[in-house]
Every structure is written in C-alpha cells, then in structure tokens.
Amino acid sequence: MNEHPPMTRIQARNRAVILSGGLDVFSIAGFRGATLDQIADAAGLSKPNLLYYFPSKDAIYAALLEQLLATWLDPLRALDADGDPVTEVLAYARRKLALSRDFPRESRLFATEILAGAPQIHAMLAGPLRDLVNEKALVLQSWMDAGRIRATDPHHLIVSIWALTQHYADFDVQVRAVLGDGDAFAGADHFITDLYRSLLDPAPARRL
Amino acid sequence: MNEHPPMTRIQARNRAVILSGGLDVFSIAGFRGATLDQIADAAGLSKPNLLYYFPSKDAIYAALLEQLLATWLDPLRALDADGDPVTEVLAYARRKLALSRDFPRESRLFATEILAGAPQIHAMLAGPLRDLVNEKALVLQSWMDAGRIRATDPHHLIVSIWALTQHYADFDVQVRAVLGDGDAFAGADHFITDLYRSLLDPAPARRL
Amino acid sequence: MNEHPPMTRIQARNRAVILSGGLDVFSIAGFRGATLDQIADAAGLSKPNLLYYFPSKDAIYAALLEQLLATWLDPLRALDADGDPVTEVLAYARRKLALSRDFPRESRLFATEILAGAPQIHAMLAGPLRDLVNEKALVLQSWMDAGRIRATDPHHLIVSIWALTQHYADFDVQVRAVLGDGDAFAGADHFITDLYRSLLDPAPARRL
Amino acid sequence: MNEHPPMTRIQARNRAVILSGGLDVFSIAGFRGATLDQIADAAGLSKPNLLYYFPSKDAIYAALLEQLLATWLDPLRALDADGDPVTEVLAYARRKLALSRDFPRESRLFATEILAGAPQIHAMLAGPLRDLVNEKALVLQSWMDAGRIRATDPHHLIVSIWALTQHYADFDVQVRAVLGDGDAFAGADHFITDLYRSLLDPAPARRL
DNA sequence: CATGAATGAGTCTTCATTCAT
DNA sequence: CATGAATGAAGACTCATTCAT
C-alpha cells in the first residue's frame, strides 16, 4: 500500500521544515515571487539540500497545495443535513473562520494561487469543489423550502462565507491597519455570527 | 503648479497604454511575477520604449497603485451621514460591488499588493484609509445609537463589505468554477443587498 | 517568402561568430560537454548576448547541424549515373576527402552526434540519407551488372568511403600521432585513389 | 610485487560491475556527458559506493581507457612478419573488425576520447602506438619491396584498416539507418576482405 | 520618439564529491 | 561494505536595465 520506502526521521523532519519554509515564502510572494534561496533560508537548509528532498521549486509548491487541498473542504463537508439549519450554517462559518485564524499562511497560499488564475488547482475547483458546493447548496435549498431558514441564494451564501472568513487571513495587513493590532478574529466571529443569524433566522426575535 | 512639461498627445497615449498593459500583467502575476517583456507585449511597445516613459518597473507599478488609490476610497467617502442609514449602507455596498465588476484588474492588483504585505501602500492603509474608516464608523455608530439601524460592530461592518464585494473580482476564477460562467455580479448584488438589509433594518418586515 | 525581418549587418556577423564558436566547441566536446561559457569565449561575446541571438544552447547546436546537413550529402548527390564509372567513384571519394580536409570541425560535429546516438538527426539518417544511398547504390549496381566496374556490395562501398574519408578529420589526433604532423590528406588522397581503383577497375592493368 | 592488498571477491565483482556500467555510459555520452548517477544506475550500486571503489569519475574513466589500451593493439601486434603477406593483412583486418563487432562500447569509448582531442591517451598514441605502427609498416614495406604484395603506403594502409573496421562500431546508428537492422558485420567482412585482396594481391586472379 | 544590442545580477538546477553513520 | 545526507561549484537561462544610434 505504501509504495515509498519508509521515511527516516531526518527525511520527515526536513521535508516538514522545507514545506513550512515554503509556506512562509510562497504565501507572501506567490509562486513566481518566491525564490529557493528564501525558502532555503526559512527552512535553515542549503539550497541544493532543498532539492535533495524535492526535485524542484514546483514540486515544493505542488506538495503544499496538495496538503492544503486535503483539508480545505473539510469544514463544508461537515455541514450536516440532519442538524439544525441555523446552527449548522453558523457553525460552518465559524469553523471556516477558525481555519483562517489558525492557518493564515495556507489561506494566503490559496489566495495567491487563485489570483494567479489557479494554474495548478483549476481542476479541483471545477471538480470536487463545485460538486461539494452543489451538494450542500441542495441541502440549504431544502431547508429554505421547508421554511427552516429564510430563502436566499444558497450558492452565494456559501461564497459569502468564504469571502468573509478568508478575508481576515488574506487581507490581514489591511485589517490590522484599520482595526488595530488586536485580535481581529474575536470581533469577526461575533460579527459574522450576527450577520448570518440575521439573514437566516426565520423567527425575527434576533437579539441574544 | 504643473511641474512637468506639458505632455504631448503621444506621451499621454503611451503612458496610458503602458499602465493598462501593466495592469493586465501585474494583476495576474503580481509584482515579481510580471516581466517587462510581458508588459511591453501587452502595451504593444518595445521594452526600451517602456523605460523611456517610466524609469523602471517599480515606477510603473507605483503609478498604477497611485492611480488606484486616488479613487479606491471614493465609494466609502460618499457614504452620507445625512442620508437614510439603511439606504446609505446598501448603496455603499452596491457601489463597491460595481467597482469590482467594472475594475476587476484594479481590485486584483490591490489584492496582490496586500497579500505581499502591502510594501508600497502600507502608509496609506495606516493613514488615510484608517482615518476614513474611523470617521465613517462614527457615523454608523451614531445611527445605531439612534436606533436607525441595528447595533453591530461598525468597523467589521465596513470590512465585511470589502471582503464580500472584492471577493467576486479577486477570486473570480473560483467563483466561476463554482457558479458557472454566467454573470456572478447580478446574483451577488441581490444577495448582498438581502444580507445587509437583514442585518441592519431595525423594522423586521424584511421581504421586498 | 522571407518570414523573418531582414537581418542587420550586426545580426549576421554575430550569428556567424556564434556558430563558428559553437562549431569549435561542440566539435571537440560534444553537445553535453560544451558550455555556453566556452562558446561565448570562442565567439568573443558575453554569454547573455549569445542567448540574445539564439534562444538556447540547443538552438545553436541545432542550427549547426542544420547548416551541416544542408551540404553534407552534396558529394554523393553529384555522383553521376551518366559519367564514367571508375572516374565517378574516385571523384566522389576525393570530393568527400576534400570535405573532411576543408571542414574538419563539421565532420567531427557529425561524428559526435552519431556517437551520441544521433538524437537530433536520426530522422535525416533514416530518411533522406537512406534514400539517397539506395538510389546511388542502384547506379553502382547497374555499372557492376554491365561489367563496367567489378562486382562488390554497393552499400558497403559507399559506407567504406565515408569511413575512410571522415576518419582523417575525426581521428586527426591519432592520425597525426602516427603519421607525423605533415599533411596527411595528400597521402590519403593517393592511397584512397589507389585503393578504390584496385577494387573497381575491371581491367587489371593497374599501375599508372 | 603486488602492492595492493588482495582483492576480495566482492571488491573484484563490484569493480567489474562499475567498469561495465561506466563503459555503457561513457561510450554513449562521452566523459562530460556521463554522470555518476547514470553509471551508478547502470552498475546497480549507490553513488557513494561507486566512489568507494574508485576515487573519482576521472578514475573510472582512466581505468576503462587503461583496460582498453591493454588489448587495443593486440590485433596489430599479431601481424606476423613470417606469415604469408596477403593472409596476414587480411587476417589483421578481420581481427580488427571482429573486435569492433564484439566490443563496440570499447570502440566508441576510444572514439569519443580521440574526438575530444585524446586528453588522456595522447602519450600512448605518440609512443607505443606510433612505435608499433612504424614497426609493422616496415614489415609491410619489406613485403612490398619483395613484390609479395603490391606497393602502396604502408602507414595509410594501416590507418585505413582502423577507419573501416571501427566505423562499423562507432557509426553503428548511421550504418543501421542506411543498411537496415541486419548484421552489418557479415557484409562488412566480405567487403573488406575483397577490398584489401584487390589492393594487395600481386597476382590479379582475384575472384574466389 | 523608438529600438536593436548588450550585460550584470540573479534564479533554478545539476553534479562530483564529502561526511557521518 | 554500504548508503542517506549534504554541499560548493558550475551551468543554462532570465530579466531589469543601459547603451548607442
């Protein structure tokens, strides 16, 4: 089942530091803007040693994206058709926001890739992502049809959650410049909860 | 008052053509990813000729950002403390969305700059932008205090409008992959209007 | 008819010196063994300037081979079915030998390419070269059938002429070590003439 | 007398395996074109292990050339001044051809070395080889003087035998492209025998 | 105003070789 | 005896920029 020889401790460690260094650099500079020198510095390894573990700059980038995509859709996948509608949507939005808070570099990596036209992950967007979104949009639609949440466009609802939650990671610099250097995520959590509860709650007794 | 010699028609035209080409390229590839060759191609000029009109690659980029920033805050500036609160906020959001629809390259250019850590425009973020946001947040707060819109965090309200509206330009590739190639902005306009009306309208007779 | 813009004098000159420098280096070191630095030195240009005129190392090599192949088959093409058989064959061998004498670098370039497995020119060998050899072998065969030259294998006859004549260019170092530094080609010319006259002349009054 | 410690069976086997792998690679790619990775692959050993048995890439190459030169001159050495002249020369040419047939990699290795200017074996060419050729040329000359073979240049005679016989190994790719994939050596043997009998036989009753 | 020519400073990648175990 | 790990030096190629006309 495992086609590769077992990884030694050194291999595992070095691949990890390289990926972490790569994430640091790629998430700020994008693929083209990043240099192997920067990544090697960030990883604390020499440049040829980098290429001993990964065959090329592309391979590092590809490994990072693969690793990212493996978990990127998890929050949406967890949206449960059998749960309470408002609770489920709010929980999804908060999970997504927590992901941005805990993995801002990954979020920015994703953003740079999308901004560049998604050369590496276009297939995933048009395939698995689209399918998952359509599936969950049906769930949302069924809830709306049953009057359990207010009717609105389910696709745009999902997209709006992405936009809002990722923004706090991706536009971090701007957010901090405007909101100050405190924890923007706590306030964001409140605001986003408030926002989607207002939109979705069919019973307008809104304040908690 | 005009320190530069008067610009000939050719000069004006070529500067414009270069800036447009630069916008094409920078907005997709980012600063480092863009090359003068690509910009020259996009502008239909030779590379040395580019550098006749702008002293360097940086200068083209800086000129684009400057041009962008000159109008970037206009929609927010236009938020009128004397207008009807809900109407004003919704109008602001829709103006911002229209800007994304009509100037997606500019939006992406701004996004790449922010993602890279805003090396060129940090001062503007921490200065004029922050000041304007604080000023308008006070307006929003006064409306909330007067019960004319529902109470929520005015800073996050503004940030959320940025996030939502810019997302449709910046993450265009992803949005199209998920929503299809139709006009996402029309649906976004409806959704965003609905979303903020739900949040803000103090009288819960929400449906139109 | 001419799809390229007309070449300036500088372009023509620089392309020529690059090709000559490339010939110097490739013919001794082979493709892999040659470096752009060596070629740039031989051409008297900077390395980036080399790549201003040719897009890559491969392109220089390919241009040299193309130039070579354009004339490589001329001596054999000139073998005239209507001429005197012995005269024609001897003249062909002597033309080929003269080519080796006058263009030893080209001969060695061809040799290194063949020794490496002919990665670039295999198609030419299996196509035009094979066809031409078959055509001329038929001519030789008809002469043999008519008793105008002695019967032997016409294909091997042609191959042997290649082997003998090219050897004096390709194995120049060895030939000089054994024969001394004098003009080996003069002696070769006599010997080769003698050799093929002996083989082919149907009338055994052999001495001249 | 034996300065080296006795070689274990593993040592002997691995040195042999490395030399064979090196021969595979060097004979196709030349010295510069060959990489230790390729040789290690061909030998089925790891790269550092290669360098446990040979101190450097150069050393492998040098060992191959040394091994080659040890037997390279044997066919010519065996030319017997006391034998029948025509028989001796034909036998020499056929031995040399057989060597090319049976050891084509060695022949190509020699060719790449000569084409590169014989940096490693120039001394051998100008010394032992030259001496041996001169010695055998005297034998040939004496036969000519005695009228036992026809008079021609004995040095060129020897060189021509090298050229013809080695060509079938070194230019294998070209020969196969022109003659087809059959056994070119059988035909070559006939042709070469015919060629030199025609040249040398003093009694013109030539056909067998 | 425009462009062909040229280059120094990178940037990715290869590779022979060394080190440590 | 064997190999995983590491690297300095070099090599092909890119690119912003300068020069000359």
Side-chain angles (χ1 to χ4, degrees):
Chain A
M1 195 131 175
N2 190 345
E3 300 189 32
H4 300 286
M7 227 186 264
T8 70
R9 226 163 302 124
I10 292 182
Q11 279 176 340
R13 189 191 150 278
N14 279 347
R15 283 183 63 95
V17 294
I18 290 169
L19 288 177
S20 177
L23 192 50
D24 284 343
V25 177
F26 282 130
S27 67
I28 287 176
F31 179 74
R32 274 291 311 272
T35 74
L36 285 184
D37 271 315
Q38 293 171 326
I39 298 173
D41 272 3
L45 296 174
S46 73
K47 193 164 40 161
N49 204 16
L50 233 65
L51 297 166
Y52 175 74
Y53 290 98
F54 289 89
S56 67
K57 182 183 174 184
D58 289 74
I60 301 175
Y61 188 73
L64 282 169
L65 281 182
E66 191 186 359
Q67 180 178 284
L68 168 64
L69 295 184
T71 59
W72 199 241
L73 302 182
D74 284 349
L76 182 53
R77 280 202 197 93
L79 185 98
D80 183 3
D82 298 329
D84 174 64
V86 173
T87 308
E88 282 296 320
V89 174
L90 291 183
Y92 167 51
R94 299 182 70 193
R95 273 198 304 276
K96 196 80 177 58
L97 184 67
L99 210 66
S100 284
R101 182 193 61 213
D102 297 336
F103 301 97
R105 299 180 305 171
E106 281 83 352
S107 185
R108 276 195 284 268
L109 179 69
F110 187 79
T112 61
E113 168 70 7
I114 298 290
L115 273 164
Q120 307 276 331
I121 64 171
H122 198 270
M124 175 272 192
L125 299 180
L129 175 64
R130 182 191 178 109
D131 294 343
L132 179 65
V133 168
N134 283 339
E135 174 200 331
K136 297 303 183 182
L138 283 179
V139 172
L140 293 169
Q141 189 64 51
S142 72
W143 287 339
M144 293 174 192
D145 293 343
R148 301 178 69 191
I149 55 175
R150 284 190 41 231
T152 190
D153 185 305
H155 283 93
H156 282 284
L157 173 55
I158 293 174
V159 168
S160 76
I161 292 173
W162 296 345
L164 274 171
T165 55
Q166 293 172 194
H167 189 86
Y168 284 92
D170 303 346
F171 285 68
D172 173 61
V173 177
Q174 187 186 18
V175 169
R176 296 168 90 85
V178 166
L179 300 186
D181 280 346
D183 179 10
F185 283 95
D189 189 275
H190 275 114
F191 178 81
I192 289 173
T193 302
D194 198 13
L195 180 66
Y196 287 106
R197 195 190 302 281
S198 302
L199 176 68
L200 299 176
D201 202 328
R206 287 177 295 191
R207 242 5 42 137
L208 68 150
Chain B
M1 194 128 176
N2 191 345
E3 299 189 31
H4 301 284
M7 229 184 264
T8 69
R9 229 162 301 127
I10 290 184
Q11 279 176 337
R13 189 191 152 280
N14 279 347
R15 281 185 62 95
V17 161
I18 291 169
L19 288 176
S20 176
L23 191 49
D24 284 343
V25 177
F26 283 129
S27 67
I28 287 177
F31 179 74
R32 272 291 310 274
T35 73
L36 284 184
D37 272 313
Q38 293 171 325
I39 299 173
D41 270 6
L45 295 175
S46 73
K47 198 164 39 160
N49 207 12
L50 230 65
L51 296 167
Y52 173 79
Y53 290 99
F54 290 88
S56 69
K57 181 184 177 183
D58 292 74
I60 301 174
Y61 188 74
L64 281 168
L65 281 181
E66 191 185 0
Q67 177 180 285
L68 168 64
L69 296 183
T71 60
W72 199 240
L73 303 182
D74 284 350
L76 182 53
R77 280 200 197 94
L79 186 96
D80 183 3
D82 298 328
D84 173 65
V86 172
T87 307
E88 282 298 319
V89 174
L90 291 183
Y92 168 52
R94 300 182 69 193
R95 274 197 304 276
K96 197 80 175 59
L97 184 66
L99 211 64
S100 283
R101 182 193 60 213
D102 297 336
F103 301 97
R105 300 179 304 170
E106 280 82 352
S107 185
R108 277 196 282 268
L109 179 71
F110 186 78
T112 62
E113 168 70 7
I114 298 290
L115 274 164
Q120 307 276 330
I121 64 171
H122 198 270
M124 174 272 191
L125 299 180
L129 176 64
R130 181 190 179 109
D131 295 342
L132 178 63
V133 168
N134 283 339
E135 174 200 332
K136 297 303 183 182
L138 282 179
V139 172
L140 292 169
Q141 190 63 53
S142 72
W143 286 340
M144 293 173 192
D145 293 343
R148 303 179 67 190
I149 55 175
R150 283 191 42 234
T152 190
D153 186 305
H155 284 93
H156 282 283
L157 174 56
I158 293 173
V159 167
S160 75
I161 291 173
W162 295 343
L164 275 171
T165 54
Q166 292 172 195
H167 189 86
Y168 285 91
D170 303 346
F171 285 68
D172 172 62
V173 176
Q174 187 186 15
V175 169
R176 297 169 90 85
V178 166
L179 300 187
D181 280 345
D183 178 12
F185 283 96
D189 189 274
H190 274 113
F191 178 82
I192 289 172
T193 302
D194 198 12
L195 180 67
Y196 286 106
R197 194 191 301 280
S198 303
L199 175 70
L200 299 176
D201 203 327
R206 288 179 292 193
R207 261 330 69 132
L208 71 148
Chain C
M1 195 130 177
N2 190 347
E3 299 190 28
H4 299 285
M7 226 186 267
T8 70
R9 225 163 303 123
I10 291 182
Q11 278 176 341
R13 189 191 151 278
N14 280 347
R15 284 184 62 96
V17 294
I18 290 169
L19 288 176
S20 177
L23 191 50
D24 284 342
V25 178
F26 282 130
S27 67
I28 287 177
F31 179 74
R32 274 290 310 273
T35 73
L36 285 184
D37 272 314
Q38 294 170 326
I39 298 173
D41 273 2
L45 297 174
S46 73
K47 191 164 42 160
N49 205 17
L50 233 64
L51 296 165
Y52 176 74
Y53 289 98
F54 290 89
S56 67
K57 183 183 173 183
D58 290 74
I60 301 175
Y61 188 73
L64 281 169
L65 281 181
E66 192 186 359
Q67 182 179 282
L68 168 63
L69 296 184
T71 59
W72 199 241
L73 301 183
D74 283 350
L76 182 52
R77 280 202 197 92
L79 184 99
D80 183 5
D82 297 329
D84 173 64
V86 173
T87 307
E88 283 296 320
V89 174
L90 291 183
Y92 167 50
R94 299 182 71 193
R95 274 198 302 276
K96 197 79 176 60
L97 184 66
L99 211 63
S100 283
R101 183 193 61 213
D102 297 336
F103 300 97
R105 300 180 305 171
E106 281 82 352
S107 185
R108 277 196 283 269
L109 179 70
F110 186 79
T112 62
E113 168 70 8
I114 298 289
L115 272 165
Q120 307 276 332
I121 63 169
H122 197 271
M124 175 271 192
L125 299 181
L129 176 64
R130 181 192 179 106
D131 294 343
L132 179 64
V133 168
N134 283 338
E135 174 199 332
K136 296 304 183 183
L138 282 179
V139 171
L140 293 168
Q141 189 63 52
S142 73
W143 286 340
M144 293 174 192
D145 293 344
R148 303 180 66 190
I149 56 176
R150 284 195 37 235
T152 190
D153 187 304
H155 284 94
H156 282 283
L157 173 56
I158 292 173
V159 167
S160 76
I161 291 173
W162 295 344
L164 274 171
T165 55
Q166 293 173 193
H167 189 86
Y168 284 91
D170 303 346
F171 285 67
D172 173 60
V173 177
Q174 188 185 14
V175 169
R176 298 168 87 86
V178 165
L179 301 187
D181 280 347
D183 179 11
F185 282 95
D189 189 273
H190 275 113
F191 177 81
I192 289 172
T193 302
D194 198 12
L195 180 66
Y196 287 105
R197 194 189 301 279
S198 303
L199 176 70
L200 298 176
D201 202 329
R206 287 179 293 192
R207 246 357 47 139
L208 72 147
Chain D
M1 193 130 178
N2 190 344
E3 301 188 30
H4 299 286
M7 229 187 262
T8 70
R9 229 163 301 127
I10 290 184
Q11 279 175 337
R13 190 190 151 279
N14 278 348
R15 283 183 62 94
V17 161
I18 291 168
L19 289 177
S20 176
L23 191 50
D24 282 344
V25 178
F26 282 129
S27 67
I28 288 177
F31 179 75
R32 272 292 309 274
T35 74
L36 284 184
D37 272 313
Q38 293 171 327
I39 298 173
D41 270 6
L45 295 175
S46 72
K47 198 167 36 161
N49 206 14
L50 231 67
L51 295 167
Y52 173 78
Y53 290 99
F54 290 89
S56 69
K57 182 184 176 183
D58 292 73
I60 301 175
Y61 188 73
L64 280 168
L65 281 182
E66 191 187 358
Q67 178 180 282
L68 169 64
L69 296 184
T71 59
W72 199 241
L73 303 183
D74 285 350
L76 183 52
R77 280 202 198 93
L79 186 97
D80 183 3
D82 298 329
D84 173 63
V86 171
T87 307
E88 282 297 319
V89 174
L90 290 183
Y92 167 52
R94 299 182 70 193
R95 274 198 302 277
K96 196 81 176 60
L97 184 66
L99 210 66
S100 283
R101 183 191 61 211
D102 298 335
F103 300 98
R105 300 180 305 171
E106 281 83 351
S107 184
R108 276 197 282 268
L109 180 69
F110 187 78
T112 62
E113 169 70 8
I114 298 291
L115 274 165
Q120 308 275 332
I121 64 171
H122 197 271
M124 174 273 192
L125 299 180
L129 175 63
R130 181 190 179 106
D131 294 344
L132 179 63
V133 168
N134 283 338
E135 174 200 332
K136 297 303 183 184
L138 282 179
V139 171
L140 292 169
Q141 188 64 52
S142 71
W143 287 339
M144 293 174 191
D145 292 345
R148 302 180 68 191
I149 55 176
R150 284 194 39 237
T152 190
D153 186 304
H155 284 93
H156 282 284
L157 174 55
I158 293 173
V159 168
S160 77
I161 291 174
W162 296 343
L164 274 172
T165 55
Q166 293 173 193
H167 189 86
Y168 284 91
D170 302 346
F171 286 68
D172 173 60
V173 176
Q174 188 185 16
V175 169
R176 296 169 90 86
V178 166
L179 299 187
D181 281 345
D183 179 12
F185 283 96
D189 189 275
H190 274 113
F191 178 81
I192 289 172
T193 301
D194 198 13
L195 180 66
Y196 286 106
R197 194 190 301 281
S198 303
L199 177 69
L200 299 176
D201 203 329
R206 289 180 291 195
R207 249 350 53 139
L208 72 147

